[in-house]
Amino acid sequence: MTVGKDVSALFPDVVNCMQTDNLELKKLVYLYLMNYAKSQPDMAIMAVNTFVKDCEDPNPLIRALAVRTMGCIRVDKITEYLCEPLRKCLKDEDPYVRKTAAVCVAKLHDINAQLVEDQGFLDTLKDLISDSNPMVVANAVAALSEIAESHPNSNLLDLNPQTINKLLTALNECTEWGQIFILDCLANYTPRDDRESQSICERVTPRLSHANSAVVLSAVKVLMKFMEMLPKDLDYYGTLLKKLAPPLVTLLSAEPELQYVALRNINLIVQRRPEILKHEMKVFFVKYNDPIYVKLEKLDIMIRLASQANIAQVLAELKEYATEVDVDFVRKAVRAIGRCAIKVEQSAERCVSTLLDLIQTKVNYVVQEAIVVIKDIFRKYPNKYESVIATLCENLDSLDEPEARAAMIWIVGEYAERIDNADELLESFLEGFHDESTQVQLQLLTAIVKLFLKKPTETQELVQQVLSLATQDSDNPDLRDRGYIYWRLLSTDPVAAKEVVLAEKPLISEETDLIEPTLLEELICHIGTLASVYHKPPSAFVEGSRGVQHKRLPGSAGSRESVESPDTNSAAGVPEAPPAVIPSQGDLLGDLLNLDLTPPATTGPPPASSGMQMGAMDLLGGGLDSLLGGDLGGNPAMATGFGAPPATVPTSFTPPVSGGLDDLFDLGGGDGLPMGAYIPPKALWLPAMKAKGLEISGTFGRRAGVIQMEMTLTNKAMSVMTDFAIQFNRNSFGLAPAGPLQVLTPLSPNQSIEVALPLNTVGPVMKMEPLNNLQVAVKNNIDVFYFSCQYPISMLFMEDGKMERQVFLATWKDIPNDNESQFQIKDCHFNSDAASNKLQGSNIFTIAKRTVEGQDMLYQSMKLTNGIWVLAELRVQAVNPNYTVSLKCRAPEVSQCVFQSYEAVLKN
């Protein structure tokens, strides 16, 4: 069996051997059962009686072995029989049995979560945290942590000071892996104040001297997190910083693989708290026999720790590395010298002279790397070290790498006025223009344009030659576009060209490769895990249905608010993205090719065009000011909707003689409180006979601004269904799943499960027929199934869809009369206020209300997720159960769907 041979045919004979009293033989039988029970579930039932009997054996080893094996056999029929023995073992007098049973609960939860909750095992597991045996406590914590990971919102590990105290007591006495489980659990706790934080740190600090590196890193993680809550002026804070350095240094004396993991973690720690290792620079000096991956990590940390106090030592070391034989390492060392110059200003001159010494060695790859970093030094310290340009130009012929060639071309273009033969140097690059990489071609184009702006009389031919090569002879769109931009700038406004191309450049920052602060906080909370080695959050590489929680350091409460409330951005006045277009299936390429690149003849507002393209324009044509200007005595063409007859304004908008806009938009009736959003009843989307027993019914809704696809999945087949996934075809509004389909437990025969799938609108767009049609593919372990459904367009109405009153009036005038559609909604028995409240629940906002001859007129607006606005006039008459709704929109295709939403909301 262990060498890959199939011995499943011997199942009945092996099961007969279970009755033996020989412990070693029993272990082998149980190992066999674990391997083959899944392929022969019916025969595995034969073993149940022996399992139950062994769970009551006088020998604790046999009791633990039985409960462990039953937990490992992932067969539904056996799990039913596991409950009673497991309950007994969780309360067994022997701690070895209890600790094994604790882990078994986590395994059983993975097979059947509902069963574990119904049987009350989770409460028993929580009670084990107070167990007298530290190993039982550690395993209970491990099991609860495992279960909590798959149910992020369950709050299973309800950590409080009393629980924390029990965990810290167990920490000193349990095994090394038990200590890791407890430390990882402690890292998820947020202390109430700095005193509690200090108390926990004091009790965790002894773990730093443990022989197991995993325990050390877990302890470092807890201390790094709780240090955030300690005041920096506290004496203990300084003591703790000193205590953290020696264990980290000790980790660097282990074997190379462990060193690498330690260095990746140290890299994060140094970015967060460089003061911990600021006096330990020497331990990061490279040894001759270090593997390359360790050398490169050490080099990176050396740069992060470089300061004015140790820069001389670091530079001497780096210069030594630049003469090594390992090419990759030498390149990195030369780059490191440049990074030191940028980071420590006082050392810049010394770094430049070190780089010049390296250039004199004439070693090709050293020279090329030196030129690349000198370019960055010029950016950081302009007009300071330009005297070295002559030395750089001497090495022009030896440059064969794209990055080095591009850097040299940038230097020549940037300092063309100081280089007498700059035109000759750039012309030499131009001879093989088509053979150069894109990076070099783009840099050469910009450099020659800079040269032309500085020396126009001498370089006119050169600039024409490069613009011709870039625009007419090149297939690269980036190069071609940049060429056209320069060409137009130079031909229409040379002064503007000078301001753009020769603009003063911002100084480059000291550390360009620091990890972004919020990501760094999350990675600090994952020290000692794979995330800290990859320098990526777990969500970036952990697949599957388990929800990965984003962890943050406790001191960042202020920043957490800004992350969690997306509304703050819009409130702060961040401009919204322009409205999106729904391209039709055949016109995608045509629309791109029809873009006019010629400069605009006038600065007036663009004319209103017809059809779906209107969605892409500024909704208000020339902007709000110009539209209202027309209304208030400005441009007369505006007052009548771009020259259209005055009849384009609905009669009800004609203001009475006495009033004006104030009278027109008198909302005297009051809005009342809006009702909740309308969600249609579930419809059958996929019948079981078409999907091998899988039946899907569902609906769509919008809850708290989030679009959701709410489904009921029913298994009408005879086999278990697992591994669910979902995908949408391209559709009119770019609807796409915002995450995986969360079906966390297998779907057993005749079982139904409710699933809510959050959606976003950033998927690929293609116009569908009808517009709100959605084609869906659902996959499970049996097959892939396809179905179509239609979503109510009201779920795309956004919460910020209420227009300003004057904007509404101006926009109604601006939209052509041809774009207006009128519909009848029959058998509605609400008054206008009730109708307004009902519609507002679905983000159809009433802007104004007027009463004319016993008829209420509601003027309403709504905004779709792709930025298209729809304006409406709803007429309600007390004696007439039929409403009339007039819809105006720049994309009239959506009007029919909007009317259907009106009808659905008002009639349900």
Side-chain angles (χ1 to χ4, degrees), residues 877-896:
Q877 207 162 5
V879 293
N880 186 355
N882 299 340
Y883 295 176
T884 304
V885 63
S886 301
L887 298 172
K888 259 195 168 188
C889 178
R890 297 214 185 266
E893 287 89 332
V894 303
S895 296
Q896 179 65 36

Side-chain angles (χ1 to χ4, degrees), residues 665-723:
F665 288 108
D666 176 28
L667 286 167
D671 280 339
L673 291 171
M675 301 177 185
Y678 166 65
I679 295 176
K682 284 187 178 172
L684 181 62
W685 287 342
L686 183 66
M689 59 186 291
K690 288 189 178 178
K692 300 181 181 176
L694 174 64
E695 184 182 277
I696 301 179
S697 56
T699 184
F700 294 87
R702 187 180 184 96
R703 301 178 191 274
V706 178
I707 304 168
Q708 288 190 328
M709 186 180 192
E710 298 173 1
M711 294 178 284
T712 303
L713 309 182
T714 306
N715 181 359
K716 295 194 172 180
M718 299 302 290
S719 56
V720 175
M721 293 182 180
T722 57
D723 304 329

Side-chain angles (χ1 to χ4, degrees), residues 37 93 130 141 236 273 286 298 333 390 421 428 434 453 549 558 647 651 711 734 768-769 773 797 846 863:
E93 59 188 21
S130 309
V141 167
Y236 180 71
R273 298 200 180 279
V286 169
K298 282 185 173 179
N421 61 338
S428 67
H434 290 303
L453 291 168
Q549 287 177 291
T651 53
M711 294 178 284
M768 302 296 288
E769 198 54 49
N773 191 31
F797 295 163
T846 300
K863 180 185 173 187

Side-chain angles (χ1 to χ4, degrees), residues 516-568:
E516 191 263 327
T518 50
L519 174 58
L520 181 61
E521 280 190 17
E522 188 174 351
L523 294 177
I524 291 286
C525 295
H526 289 292
I527 282 177
T529 68
L530 212 50
S532 66
V533 179
Y534 285 164
H535 287 189
K536 288 180 181 177
S539 54
F541 59 87
V542 175
E543 291 184 355
S545 58
R546 293 194 171 190
V548 178
Q549 287 177 291
H550 292 281
K551 299 183 180 179
R552 299 290 296 276
L553 293 176
S556 311
S559 61
R560 190 176 297 136
E561 285 175 24
S562 63
V563 172
E564 286 175 0
S565 61
D567 297 333
T568 50

